[in-house]
Amino acid sequence: MMYKEYRSSRVAGLNPLSFDPSSNNEPLQFNSSNGPLVTECPLENGAENSKKRKRPSLPPEGIRNMPMDSSPMTMPMSDPNAWATAMNNLGMGPIGMSGQPLMSDFDSSLGMMTGIGPMNPMMPGLGYVPPPPLPQDLPIVKEIIHCKSCTLFPPNPNLPSPAIRERPPGCKTVFVGGLPENATEALIVEVFGQCGDIIAIRKSKKNFCHIRFAEEFTVDRALFLSGYRIRLGSSTDKKDTGRLHVDFAQARDDLYEWECHQRMLAREERHRRRMEEDRLRPPSPPPIVHYSEHECSQLGDKIKDEAAFAEAVRVLLTWVERGEVNRRNANNFYSMIQSSNSHIRRLMNEKAAHEKEMEEAKEKFKIALSGILAQ
């Protein structure tokens, strides 16, 4: 009745429907070929605008074109085009009952035309949404462990975890207490052999033992069994039951292996550092030959050459520092020193001349620059 009143009222801006939604049972056709349902509302002039008139309440935009019949909306599955169009308007990729998409060229941005954002398919048959990630601080749930000759029952999760000592460096040995009185070494190997390779077992006459593993990370696996209640077979005898307590143990063998490993790492670090220093060290200069008549004649020629003068002077100073000057070669050294002195004087004179030319060039530059600025 409410919908009929709404249909009979003349509301400006809405086109009349081409069918009666209360009596029409035909399947809906999502087709926009008939043009928009809402048009521009013209402004009315005159005194009627000043009067406030109450407009009838309109249903939401999403249900204006839906029938008010209580019967469920039918959608013919035999017509894939209509079904695909409807799912496209909702912003979801149309997917059949078998999970295969009906339209390969579905554009998720078309769903924004109806004002509805893309939806995550949560219904069966529409898709799979992965579960949310588990929190990091979630407690570990321990389960019953069935072995060949015994059964391990998990501890009460409400009880506090057993206290353990500080982990020694390089610990590979664990202390296991609370073993049944009838426990054998084979039973210990059967239970703790699942954690990793066992090197040695030192069992006491009482209900405890020490187990040494081959790797350090297997100790953490063994600590996981701390608090478990063990029962041999199906026996209920007190001697066949016990409560395991696993803790770190100090062993000389573990400490010795850890110290050896640390020394090996230190040697590798020193070797790496030495190789790095050798790589970054500048190359050593070539060795200087000792004095001889042949080398002296060659050095005299190099002193007179401007390109080899620096190297020749370095060799001459090295010979003087070594003490290779004597009475026999004193004249040779005197001539080489005289040649070096004359060459150095000539270089000093050339330096003074170039400095004088540079000062004159600076003065000319300043005068020219001041003339340019004045102009």
Side-chain angles (χ1 to χ4, degrees):
M1 181 63 68
M2 177 181 176
Y3 200 91
K4 289 182 178 181
E5 293 177 359
Y6 158 69
R7 184 173 177 270
S8 61
S9 61
R10 299 295 183 179
V11 180
L14 295 179
N15 296 329
L17 299 176
S18 61
F19 61 94
D20 187 2
S22 62
S23 60
N24 185 26
N25 293 327
E26 294 295 330
L28 290 179
Q29 300 293 332
F30 293 84
N31 193 358
S32 60
S33 61
N34 294 332
L37 296 179
V38 180
T39 60
E40 296 181 359
C41 181
L43 296 176
E44 298 179 2
N45 298 327
E48 294 180 359
N49 283 339
S50 60
K51 297 180 181 180
K52 297 182 179 179
R53 293 181 299 179
K54 297 183 179 180
R55 293 187 178 182
S57 59
L58 300 179
E61 182 182 355
I63 61 173
R64 288 180 185 177
N65 298 331
M66 294 180 62
M68 299 303 294
D69 191 6
S70 60
S71 60
M73 182 181 65
T74 60
M75 181 64 65
M77 297 301 295
S78 61
D79 188 4
N81 295 328
W83 178 256
T85 306
M87 298 298 291
N88 193 7
N89 291 334
L90 291 178
M92 296 185 297
I95 301 177
M97 299 304 294
S98 61
Q100 299 296 330
L102 298 178
M103 295 177 62
S104 59
D105 55 349
F106 170 72
D107 188 3
S108 59
S109 62
L110 297 178
M112 301 303 295
M113 296 172 59
T114 59
I116 304 176
M119 302 170 58
N120 289 331
M122 297 296 293
M123 294 184 295
L126 294 181
Y128 172 74
V129 177
L134 297 177
Q136 298 292 336
D137 55 350
L138 188 66
I140 301 176
V141 179
K142 296 184 178 182
E143 299 179 352
I144 299 177
I145 301 176
H146 297 279
C147 298
K148 185 176 180 180
S149 58
C150 65
T151 305
L152 300 176
F153 298 93
N156 188 357
N158 297 326
L159 296 178
S161 57
I164 58 175
R165 67 175 66 181
E166 185 179 357
R167 183 168 189 160
C171 180
K172 297 181 181 180
T173 306
V174 295
F175 166 82
V176 181
L179 293 172
E181 295 184 9
N182 295 335
T184 60
E185 186 174 344
L187 175 67
I188 297 173
V189 173
E190 179 182 355
V191 174
F192 290 92
Q194 304 175 8
C195 302
D197 297 335
I198 298 176
I199 296 180
I201 297 177
R202 294 188 294 271
K203 188 176 182 304
S204 175
K205 295 181 180 179
K206 298 182 180 180
N207 55 348
F208 71 90
C209 68
H210 288 82
I211 304 175
R212 187 165 189 264
F213 293 96
E215 301 292 339
E216 292 186 21
F217 65 89
T218 54
V219 175
D220 299 327
R221 298 179 182 178
L223 290 176
F224 180 79
L225 301 178
S226 182
Y228 269 81
R229 291 179 291 107
I230 182 172
R231 185 176 66 185
L232 303 182
S234 59
S235 175
T236 58
D237 191 1
K238 186 176 181 180
K239 296 183 179 181
D240 294 336
T241 60
R243 185 182 183 87
L244 298 179
H245 174 67
V246 186
D247 197 356
F248 298 109
Q250 293 182 352
R252 295 180 180 178
D253 297 339
D254 299 342
L255 183 61
Y256 176 74
E257 290 184 1
W258 181 79
E259 290 177 350
C260 292
H261 183 67
Q262 295 298 320
R263 286 194 292 268
M264 182 188 68
L265 294 178
R267 288 195 299 270
E268 293 179 355
E269 179 65 20
R270 288 195 299 269
H271 177 71
R272 185 194 63 80
R273 191 179 305 169
R274 189 181 301 109
M275 294 294 293
E276 187 70 16
E277 293 177 356
D278 294 342
R279 187 178 66 85
L280 298 177
R281 183 182 295 112
S284 301
I288 297 176
V289 296
H290 291 273
Y291 174 81
S292 63
E293 295 294 335
H294 176 69
E295 294 295 337
C296 181
S297 61
Q298 290 186 352
L299 187 63
D301 298 336
K302 290 182 180 180
I303 291 176
K304 298 177 183 179
D305 187 7
E306 295 184 359
F309 177 74
E311 182 182 358
V313 170
R314 185 169 60 85
V315 175
L316 179 60
L317 292 176
T318 304
W319 285 352
V320 173
E321 291 175 356
R322 286 179 181 175
E324 297 187 2
V325 183
N326 50 35
R327 292 182 179 180
R328 294 180 180 179
N329 55 19
N331 295 331
N332 297 333
F333 275 93
Y334 182 77
S335 61
M336 289 187 294
I337 293 174
Q338 284 292 105
S339 301
S340 302
N341 189 21
S342 61
H343 185 76
I344 292 174
R345 283 184 179 181
R346 183 172 57 83
L347 292 178
M348 295 298 292
N349 294 333
E350 291 180 359
K351 178 183 177 183
H354 289 307
E355 288 179 354
K356 185 177 180 181
E357 292 178 0
M358 186 176 64
E359 292 296 333
E360 294 177 355
K362 285 183 179 180
E363 291 296 332
K364 292 181 181 180
F365 173 75
K366 289 181 181 180
I367 295 172
L369 183 62
S370 61
I372 292 174
L373 294 177
Q375 292 178 7

